[in-house]
């Protein structure tokens, strides 16, 4: 068996699809049968440190090109020229029917993302996105199997992309093992914020995050007795949305450096620092209007932090009954729920939450990928 892995989604920045690809590729050699040949195709750019030395894989670098050109033309040629027997695509992208069994990982559904983001697109941009969606759906429909990152995504594969559900398999994402060293110090206070504590939120500029609700939500939580600050991390400080957030908080009478703090983006080299902010927060505010999985919510749960979540998309599935769920349209009620949950936390419940969150691990993710690949081989041999 010669397996070709499309890892062109990989880059130096380990976020979302990139992190998934990095974690799975580092573990996959343990779970594939001895004797399998594996070729990994990546674009010629900087990759995560040490990844190209993993396992007995053969790494092929190609010139970077557009998603559609790669999926519709280049990948077909690579399968032919490298004489591959099977294909694994680590991210859903433009494609079509290939000459070998194909397994594709679906991380989210574009239509749901666009709806949550409430994007207003001009006609040319709308046409481009429709064509890209058509090419992505074509690749997914032609796949022998599709690995979905949640049951929420799996249940919508037919309505979203026209993929029959019996070809879809759910496999959850995992947590970074380095987080275990963070959780042991989660009760410490760095002194960077008031002794009264703080709430943590993430706002990278993605419209799905619904960050515009944060000033109102913070005001509501404060009105129900919470005395801590609000820390918003992940900001592009120079972007208009960050300035608008700051102005909105100031207009409600909050003071920067006293009531709220705005922090920039934390890259991979500062991942531990970001986790420390999660671990020390009184609560993490997950305001997203849609998530295909919800990694930040899961990380907060694993660190023992109280999570207040909209429950949108897959958030309720992944969070189970541990977060405090709130209605984004009823902020006063949300403020009461969150302030009360912070005040009345049960230590036994925290331990259960941590144990639950750590049931999500990357080894199980990778085993699921390997099993689907083995099933494809068996079905072909039959």
């Amino acid at each position: 068996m010669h397996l070709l892995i499309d890892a062109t989604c990989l880059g130096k920045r380990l976020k979302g699809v990139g992190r998934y690809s990095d974690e799975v590729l580092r573990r996959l050699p343990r779970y594939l049968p001895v004797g399998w040949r594996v070729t990994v195709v990546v674009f010629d750019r900087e990759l995560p440190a040490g990844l190209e030395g993993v396992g007995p894989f053969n790494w092929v670098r190609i010139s970077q090109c557009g998603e559609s050109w790669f999926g519709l033309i280049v990948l077909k040629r690579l399968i032919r020229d490298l004489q591959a027997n099977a294909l694994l695509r680590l991210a859903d992208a433009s494609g079509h029917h290939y000459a070998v069994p194909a397994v594709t990982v679906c991380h989210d559904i574009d239509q749901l993302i666009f709806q949550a983001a409430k994007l207003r697109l001009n006609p040319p941009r709308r046409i481009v996105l429709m064509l890209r969606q058509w090419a992505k759906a074509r690749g997914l429909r032609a796949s022998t199997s599709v690995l979905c990152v949640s049951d929420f995504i799996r249940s919508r594969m037919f309505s979203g992309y026209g993929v029959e559900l019996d070809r879809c398999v759910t496999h959850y994402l995992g947590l970074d093992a380095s987080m275990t060293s963070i959780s042991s110090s989660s009760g410490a206070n760095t002194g960077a914020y008031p002794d009264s504590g703080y709430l943590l939120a993430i706002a990278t500029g993605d419209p799905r995050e619904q960050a515009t609700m944060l000033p109102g939500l913070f005001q509501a939580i404060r009105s129900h007795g919470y005395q801590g600050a609000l820390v918003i991390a992940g900001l592009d400080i120079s972007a208009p949305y960050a300035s608008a957030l700051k102005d909105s908080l100031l207009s409600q009478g909050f003071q920067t450096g006293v009531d709220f703090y705005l922090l920039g983006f934390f890259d991979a080299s500062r991942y531990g620092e970001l986790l420390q902010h999660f671990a020390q927060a009184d609560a993490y505010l997950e305001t997203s209007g849609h998530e295909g999985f919800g990694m930040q919510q899961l990380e907060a749960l694993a660190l023992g932090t109280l999570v207040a979540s909209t429950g949108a998309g897959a958030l309720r599935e992944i969070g189970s009954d541990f977060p405090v769920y709130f209605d984004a349209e009823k902020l006063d009620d949300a403020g009461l729920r969150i302030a009360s949950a912070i005040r009345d936390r049960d230590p036994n419940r925290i331990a259960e939450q941590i144990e639950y969150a750590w049931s999500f691990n990357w080894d199980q993710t990778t085993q699921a990928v390997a099993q689907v690949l083995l099933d494809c081989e068996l079905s072909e041999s039959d």
Side-chain angles (χ1 to χ4, degrees):
M1 171 64 75
H2 182 190
L3 173 65
L4 178 64
I5 300 179
D6 168 15
T8 51
C9 55
L10 262 175
K12 182 182 179 182
R13 187 177 178 184
L14 292 181
K15 187 177 184 295
V17 175
R19 185 194 294 190
Y20 172 92
S21 302
D22 180 72
E23 296 285 358
V24 168
L25 285 172
R26 291 181 188 276
R27 291 168 172 78
L28 197 55
R30 308 175 201 168
Y31 301 109
L32 293 179
V34 176
W36 274 36
R37 291 173 55 208
V38 178
T39 299
V40 183
V41 177
V42 294
F43 285 140
D44 192 11
R45 58 190 178 191
E46 190 171 1
L47 299 177
L51 183 59
E52 287 182 274
V54 169
F57 294 171
N58 176 41
W59 293 76
V60 174
R61 287 177 169 265
I62 62 172
S63 298
Q64 190 159 343
C65 59
E67 176 190 312
S68 296
W69 180 257
F70 175 80
L72 300 174
I73 305 298
V74 177
L75 189 53
K76 186 176 181 180
R77 292 175 180 171
L78 286 168
I79 293 170
R80 180 196 63 201
D81 295 346
L82 296 172
Q83 298 182 329
N85 306 115
L87 172 67
L88 170 62
R89 305 196 75 185
L90 295 175
D92 44 288
S94 299
H96 61 122
H97 183 77
Y98 301 107
V100 298
V103 174
T104 304
V105 181
C106 183
H107 297 265
D108 217 326
I109 295 175
D110 288 347
Q111 183 180 0
L112 300 178
I113 294 173
F114 299 152
Q115 288 174 353
K118 300 176 182 177
L119 295 178
R120 295 181 179 179
L121 304 173
N122 57 42
R125 179 62 174 160
R126 188 178 296 114
I127 291 171
V128 170
L129 287 176
M130 287 176 62
L131 290 172
R132 185 175 296 172
Q133 277 190 279
W134 172 82
K136 180 184 288 189
R138 185 181 182 188
L140 286 165
R141 287 196 299 269
S143 299
T144 309
S145 295
V146 177
L147 284 157
C148 305
V149 299
S150 63
D151 282 336
F152 173 83
I153 294 298
R154 180 183 179 276
S155 67
R156 288 156 177 80
M157 285 301 296
F158 187 78
S159 60
Y161 291 125
V163 181
E164 297 85 354
L165 298 189
D166 60 0
R167 291 195 285 121
C168 300
V169 177
T170 298
H171 74 321
Y172 293 123
L173 310 187
L175 290 167
D176 193 312
S178 66
M179 290 178 60
T180 54
S181 62
I182 302 293
S183 59
S184 63
S185 58
S186 60
N189 192 306
T190 61
Y193 310 113
D195 290 338
S196 53
Y198 66 90
L199 308 171
L200 178 67
I202 304 293
T204 64
D206 185 336
R208 286 181 297 166
E209 293 168 340
Q210 304 185 124
T212 55
M213 83 166 69
L214 286 172
L217 181 59
F218 182 46
Q219 179 74 277
I221 298 170
R222 275 282 188 91
S223 72
H224 289 286
Y226 180 71
Q227 298 299 312
L230 172 65
V231 176
I232 305 177
L235 291 161
D236 179 351
I237 298 295
S238 62
Y241 83 92
S243 300
L245 262 178
K246 181 177 180 180
D247 291 344
S248 181
L249 286 160
L250 291 171
S251 70
Q252 297 197 38
F254 297 125
Q255 300 179 56
T256 182
V258 177
D259 299 300
F260 70 92
Y261 300 79
L262 304 181
L263 308 181
F265 183 77
F266 289 76
D267 61 20
S269 66
R270 300 177 62 201
Y271 179 59
E273 186 181 344
L274 177 61
L275 292 178
Q276 199 70 54
H277 278 82
F278 272 102
Q280 295 175 0
D282 290 327
Y284 166 61
L285 307 179
E286 178 54 87
T287 59
S288 179
H290 168 74
E291 292 293 332
F293 181 79
M295 179 59 78
Q296 288 167 171
Q297 173 182 269
L298 183 63
E299 289 174 333
L301 291 172
L303 293 167
T305 303
L306 175 69
V307 172
S309 173
T310 60
L315 289 173
R316 192 176 291 268
E317 173 188 344
I318 303 304
S320 188
D321 61 348
F322 291 101
V324 178
Y325 294 108
F326 65 90
D327 186 339
E329 301 297 323
K330 300 177 180 178
L331 292 187
D332 184 66
D333 178 69
L336 174 60
R337 287 171 176 267
I338 296 167
S340 299
I342 294 172
R343 185 173 56 248
D344 302 329
R345 288 209 79 187
D346 179 357
N348 293 325
R349 187 65 170 161
I350 297 173
E352 293 172 6
Q353 168 185 310
I354 294 171
E355 182 180 5
Y356 165 77
W358 278 102
S359 67
F360 294 82
N361 65 78
W362 286 113
D363 281 305
Q364 289 183 353
T365 308
T366 310
Q367 283 179 305
V369 174
Q371 186 59 57
V372 170
L373 290 169
L374 289 169
D375 291 344
C376 286
E377 181 191 32
L378 290 172
S379 64
E380 284 299 302
S381 63
D382 291 343

